[in-house]
């Protein structure tokens, strides 16, 4: 016999968010108003520091059809790479005009999702190694049994991306491109286009974080 | 600080895999490649926090938060529970959101076409922050089961959806609570998609008569366990040296 390890509680299993996730998390998209404070896809307030950007795209299923009932959340650092959370040693100086978090549903007709934010800065990674600017994404929907976690990197950050410790963990260099958002200018606004593929040749890299 | 330590890897044996063909919609929506395992960085151990300013006084009362000219039809219930991590530590002040069908099994959602009627006094969603020990409670009516298009005669057991944040974005979880004694539970492909029966049983809330309010409402208990944190006392060098 050996000493017993401390008892640990087993995790609560995940279950799909289902087709009506909008009721719980974004009721305005389900078709009604109920809460005084609604969560939204606007991550950066008007006073947030940094380059203002739109992030938009679609999520595609294994038949290459847009998933029109997906819910996406974003968690990000501010323009100087600081998270608004106590675990970040620099959180006290994080930009107060940036919540760092937003959520939205894809459009029921087009499948498009969109976030309004500012481009994050480089975040200090493990062992002090910088990570290229990125957004952390969490994706749930009917047919997704456990939330999918991935990252959006910015295609124009060529040097930073090449040195990013997470992108470099992806063995097949071609798959790294599934995490790169394409920069466009549309009516004077900066738009990063980021499509997510749940299956197929272009399947997005998802993480077990 | 202890509350900022890295998370232990999620125990995938207790979660349904992405591909569960008995739940047909998962077939085209399940990633087929292996997930890439990442050690935690600040991007995973941090996450959004919510203050009381974001939560209205009726947000956790589904009996009243959409009441127009009366209260919703159905069995009045209280749901109480505690959000903790795998080491039993309560997760304080974290956002818990919940949504459900009405007593007839119909959601107030533009995409729900089930013939059961909408209840004019029931929205079907609520939210609350856990207390300092991870506890939460809300009032609602017991949802009804409803048919869904999977097999021809598929019925969801009565359930309430839960969304929980935890203290870091890597703990994010959505799950469903079922009700003790419902004969539909073990016929449900979402429940049966969980590979471990004991894990699936932990989604079934027992009747909690001690928490009931006599002559008013019954109570069910639903505790939620999020992944725990590593216990090493040595520097993990999440950041710099």
């Amino acid at each position: 016999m050996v000493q017993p390890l401390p008892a640990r509680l087993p995790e609560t299993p995940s279950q799909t968010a289902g087709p009506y996730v909008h009721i719980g998390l974004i009721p305005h998209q389900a078709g009604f108003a109920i809460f005084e404070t609604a969560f939204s896809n606007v991550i950066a307030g008007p006073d947030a520091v940094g380059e203002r950007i739109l992030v938009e795209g679609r999520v595609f299923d294994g038949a290459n059809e847009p998933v029109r009932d997906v819910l996406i959340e974003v968690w990000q650092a501010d323009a100087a790479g600081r998270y608004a959370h106590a675990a970040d040693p620099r959180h006290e100086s994080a930009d107060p005009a940036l919540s760092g978090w937003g959520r939205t549903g894809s459009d029921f007709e087009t499948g498009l999702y969109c976030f309004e934010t500012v481009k994050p800065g480089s975040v200090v990674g493990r062992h002090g190694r910088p990570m290229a600017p990125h957004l952390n994404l969490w994706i749930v929907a009917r047919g997704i049994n456990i939330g999918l976690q991935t990252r959006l990197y910015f295609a124009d950050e060529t040097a930073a991306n090449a040195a990013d410790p997470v992108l470099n963990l992806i063995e097949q260099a071609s798959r790294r491109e599934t995490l790169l958002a394409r920069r466009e200018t549309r009516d004077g606004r900066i738009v990063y286009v980021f499509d997510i593929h749940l299956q197929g040749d272009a399947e997005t890299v998802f993480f077990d974080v | 600080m202890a509350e900022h330590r890295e998370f232990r890897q999620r125990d995938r044996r207790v979660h349904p895999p992405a591909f569960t063909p008995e739940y047909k919609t998962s077939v085209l929506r399940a990633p087929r490649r292996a997930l890439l395992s990442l050690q935690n960085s600040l991007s995973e151990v941090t996450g959004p926090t919510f203050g009381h300013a974001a939560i209205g006084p009726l947000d956790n009362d589904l009996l009243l938060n959409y009441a127009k000219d009366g209260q919703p039809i159905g069995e009045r219930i209280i749901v109480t529970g505690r959000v903790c991590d795998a080491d039993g530590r309560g997760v304080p002040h974290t956002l818990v959101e919940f949504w459900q069908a009405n007593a007839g099994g119909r959601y107030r959602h533009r995409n729900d076409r089930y013939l059961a009627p909408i209840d004019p006094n029931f929205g079907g969603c609520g939210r609350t922050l856990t207390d300092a020990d991870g506890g939460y409670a809300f009032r609602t009516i017991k949802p009804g089961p409803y048919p869904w298009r999977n097999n021809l005669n598929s019925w969801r057991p009565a359930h309430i959806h839960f969304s929980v944040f935890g203290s870091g974005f890597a703990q994010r979880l959505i799950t469903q609570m079922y009700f003790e004694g419902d004969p539909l539970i073990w016929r449900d492909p979402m429940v049966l998609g969980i590979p471990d029966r004991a894990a699936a049983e932990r989604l079934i809330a027992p009747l909690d008569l001690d928490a009931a309010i006599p002559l008013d409402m019954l109570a069910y208990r639903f505790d939620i366990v999020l992944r725990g944190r590593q216990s090493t006392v040595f520097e993990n060098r999440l950041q710099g040296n």
Side-chain angles (χ1 to χ4, degrees):
Chain A
M1 291 293 285
V2 298
Q3 293 183 6
L5 290 167
R8 291 200 179 116
L9 301 171
E11 293 170 36
T12 299
S14 171
Q15 292 276 266
T16 179
Y20 308 123
V21 59
H22 316 86
I23 284 192
L25 305 188
I26 40 174
H28 49 92
Q29 191 167 345
F32 64 104
I34 183 164
F35 302 130
E36 273 182 40
T37 307
F39 299 134
S40 82
N41 64 335
V42 180
I43 299 170
D47 299 328
V49 175
E51 182 181 43
R52 297 201 75 84
I53 61 172
L54 296 176
V55 175
E56 72 162 42
R58 290 185 290 181
V59 179
F60 292 92
D61 68 13
N64 216 29
E65 286 288 321
V67 179
R68 297 179 176 88
D69 54 8
V70 74
L71 180 122
I72 302 179
E73 290 186 357
V74 165
W75 172 241
Q76 68 164 95
D78 70 10
R82 296 168 298 212
Y83 284 106
H85 183 278
D88 188 325
R90 298 190 298 155
H91 75 273
E92 285 179 358
S93 56
D95 185 350
L98 184 90
S99 75
W101 174 82
R103 70 163 51 132
T104 193
S106 58
D107 185 273
F108 288 145
E109 276 76 45
T110 65
L112 275 171
Y113 73 87
C114 180
F115 288 96
E116 297 182 36
T117 187
V118 296
K119 193 173 175 183
S122 169
V123 171
V124 181
R126 295 179 70 88
H127 309 293
R129 206 173 148 192
M131 295 188 285
H134 63 276
L135 307 180
N136 305 289
L137 270 59
W138 180 77
I139 301 153
V140 293
R142 175 174 70 102
I144 294 178
N145 287 325
I146 181 165
L148 299 172
Q149 275 151 320
T150 189
R151 290 185 176 190
L152 177 158
Y153 286 86
F154 299 89
D156 52 305
E157 298 280 343
T158 314
N161 290 341
D164 181 80
V166 171
L167 286 174
N168 278 294
L169 276 180
I170 303 169
E171 190 177 338
Q172 301 82 4
S174 62
R175 294 205 71 213
R176 294 173 198 159
E177 292 169 17
T178 68
L179 302 188
L180 300 185
R182 183 177 74 244
R183 183 182 175 103
E184 295 179 356
T185 305
R186 201 182 300 162
D187 303 328
R189 304 184 76 173
I190 307 298
V191 183
Y192 281 94
V193 179
F194 187 64
D195 289 334
I196 294 163
H197 295 266
L198 300 177
Q199 281 179 12
D201 292 342
E203 184 178 311
T204 299
V205 173
F206 297 105
F207 298 110
D208 188 9
V209 298
Chain B
M1 295 199 299
E3 62 271 27
H4 299 155
R5 287 197 299 243
E6 292 178 54
F7 295 108
R8 283 196 298 275
Q9 186 168 337
R10 215 183 264 279
D11 184 356
R12 296 272 166 183
R13 295 168 302 180
V14 307
H15 298 287
F19 181 71
T20 50
E22 296 297 313
Y23 173 23
K24 294 179 181 177
T25 315
S26 76
V27 170
L28 283 176
R29 295 184 172 193
R32 299 301 179 93
R33 307 198 191 211
L35 301 177
L36 181 62
S37 293
L38 277 194
Q39 286 183 288
N40 287 180
S41 70
L42 281 182
S43 296
E44 288 78 37
V45 299
T46 60
T49 51
F50 300 89
H52 288 278
I55 309 296
L58 289 181
D59 283 7
N60 73 336
D61 191 344
L62 282 68
L63 297 180
L64 296 181
N65 71 8
Y66 203 77
K68 303 299 181 195
D69 58 4
Q71 291 201 15
I73 301 289
E75 293 177 42
R76 298 157 59 82
I77 61 169
I78 304 173
V79 179
T80 68
R82 180 170 178 259
V83 180
C84 68
D85 71 10
D87 300 303
R89 283 186 288 258
V91 183
H93 316 304
T94 196
L95 181 65
V96 181
E97 296 162 286
F98 18 89
W99 68 101
Q100 62 171 91
N102 68 24
R106 173 82 181 264
Y107 285 88
R108 182 175 289 279
H109 191 292
R110 61 178 59 159
N111 294 345
D112 188 354
R113 309 270 187 245
Y114 182 36
L115 49 80
I118 290 282
D119 184 333
N121 294 308
F122 192 64
C125 58
R127 56 193 189 180
T128 189
L129 294 175
T130 58
D131 64 22
D133 188 45
Y136 74 88
F138 63 95
R139 303 202 307 172
T140 186
I141 52 99
K142 192 174 176 184
Y146 57 85
W148 61 298
R149 291 185 178 276
N150 190 57
N151 297 325
L152 195 57
N153 196 21
S154 293
W155 294 78
R156 293 299 329 278
H159 63 276
I160 300 177
H161 297 265
F162 279 73
S163 159
V164 189
F165 277 83
S167 51
F169 207 46
Q171 278 183 314
R172 194 85 178 80
L173 181 74
I174 278 185
T175 189
Q176 300 182 32
M177 175 196 120
Y178 304 97
F179 291 85
E180 176 183 3
D182 187 338
L184 293 169
I185 291 174
W186 298 108
R187 295 175 169 90
D188 181 66
M190 295 176 195
V191 172
L192 296 174
I194 299 168
D196 174 25
R197 172 144 180 147
E201 287 173 348
R202 290 194 298 276
L203 296 182
I204 305 174
L207 179 72
D208 183 3
L209 211 49
D210 288 342
I213 302 176
L215 307 180
D216 183 347
M217 54 207 308
L218 283 173
Y220 287 86
R221 170 92 190 178
F222 188 59
D223 293 329
I224 297 171
V225 181
L226 304 178
R227 58 197 290 200
R229 292 177 187 270
Q230 290 186 2
S231 54
T232 176
V233 294
F234 292 101
E235 176 58 68
N236 278 322
R237 299 207 301 166
L238 255 184
Q239 267 231 322
N241 289 305

